[in-house]
Structures are given as structure tokens and as C-alpha cells.
């Protein structure tokens, strides 16, 4: 795929693997929406890359309204051609530890962000991309 001039969404794009992905897209001539809950860092990365190449939208991937705002920003920037899901958490807890059973709310939060959040972003980005005119 020719990345130049195309728009991409990167969840978790404010740091780590997501930030590296954002920087690669921009280096290759793409435009990126950084979707992350880390507002200060996300704004910093976007400002560093320049407003014509990167935008930040605060996004909890498990929230439909946040995800819709990200897709709306991306489509306003041009032709949305891809989504890379890097948002996720990996809390460590034993199934049974000194404090008792693994906290169910911690597991539920992990599933909500890593699984449901990823699907939420995929479904909304795919809907937007399905409206694109096909390319060679």
C-alpha cells in the first residue's frame, strides 16, 4: 500500500509500539490520528509531528462516542485507509495470591479495553473505510 497521503488511526499512539507506528506512518508520508487516553503525551507527539501530519483525539477505545470522534477526525483529514490497534493493558495478578482471588474487576477492565475496545475501533473504522473509492 502506498502510505503517502493516506490517513491512519493508531490507538495507543501516544507511547510505546503505538507511538513508533505513528512515527513510521508520518515518516512514510501518511497522516495519523493518535487515539489514546494519555492526553498530555498524545498532544505532545502530535505537536512534534505537525498539525498537517498528526492529530490527537483523547479516546478510551471501549467507549463508542470516543471511537466515533476518532473516526470522524480521521475522515476529516482525508481518506482513512487503516487502523492499527496498539491500545491495551496487561496488569499482572495471580489467580490466587496472598490477598485472595484475582480481582474480577481487573480482569473485566482488561477484557473491556483489549478485546471490546479493539473490536469497537475495528467496526467503526471498517464502516468508514467501506465508503472509500477502491484503488488499484
Amino acid at each position: 500500500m502506498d502510505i503517502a497521503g493516506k490517513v491512519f488511526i493508531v490507538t495507543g499512539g501516544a507511547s510505546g509500539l503505538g507511538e513508533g507506528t505513528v512515527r513510521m506512518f508520518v515518516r512514510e508520508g501518511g497522516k495519523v490520528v493518535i487515539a489514546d487516553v494519555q492526553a498530555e503525551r498524545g498532544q505532545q507527539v502530535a505537536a512534534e509531528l505537525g498539525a498537517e501530519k498528526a492529530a490527537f483525539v483523547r479516546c478510551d477505545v471501549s467507549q463508542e462516542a470516543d471511537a466515533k470522534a476518532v473516526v470522524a477526525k480521521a475522515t476529516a483529514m482525508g481518506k482513512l485507509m487503516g487502523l492499527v490497534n496498539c491500545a491495551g493493558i496487561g496488569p499482572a495478578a495471580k489467580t490466587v495470591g496472598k490477598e485472595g482471588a484475582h480481582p474480577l474487576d481487573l480482569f473485566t477492565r482488561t477484557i473491556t479495553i483489549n478485546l471490546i475496545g479493539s473490536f469497537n475501533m475495528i467496526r467503526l473504522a471498517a464502516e468508514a473505510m467501506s465508503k472509500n473509492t477502491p484503488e488499484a
Side-chain angles (χ1 to χ4, degrees):
M1 169 189 287
D2 183 18
I3 292 173
K6 306 298 188 319
V7 179
F8 300 88
I9 295 169
V10 180
T11 68
S15 63
L17 179 62
E19 181 182 348
T21 303
V22 165
R23 291 181 183 281
M24 182 276 303
F25 280 133
V26 170
R27 184 176 60 249
E28 296 298 320
K31 300 176 187 177
V32 183
V33 176
I34 301 165
D36 207 304
V37 293
Q38 299 180 76
E40 187 175 320
R41 180 67 185 146
Q43 292 166 349
Q44 180 183 9
V45 172
E48 192 179 306
L49 295 171
E52 67 285 345
K53 297 179 182 179
F56 172 76
V57 176
R58 191 209 172 277
C59 178
D60 173 342
V61 294
S62 68
Q63 299 302 307
E64 184 171 25
D66 287 3
K68 284 183 174 182
V70 169
V71 172
K73 179 64 176 177
T75 56
M77 291 172 68
K79 189 173 188 176
L80 177 60
M81 292 296 285
L83 162 72
V84 178
N85 275 317
C86 293
I89 61 171
K94 294 180 179 179
T95 304
V96 178
K98 292 177 184 176
E99 303 297 318
H102 184 295
L104 185 58
D105 62 334
L106 180 61
F107 181 74
T108 301
R109 182 171 178 260
T110 303
I111 293 298
T112 300
I113 293 169
N114 296 356
L115 179 62
I116 296 170
S118 292
F119 179 75
N120 188 36
M121 293 303 303
I122 290 166
R123 73 189 184 90
L124 295 172
E127 178 186 32
M129 289 186 286
S130 74
K131 298 172 184 172
N132 288 344
T133 303
E135 294 187 2

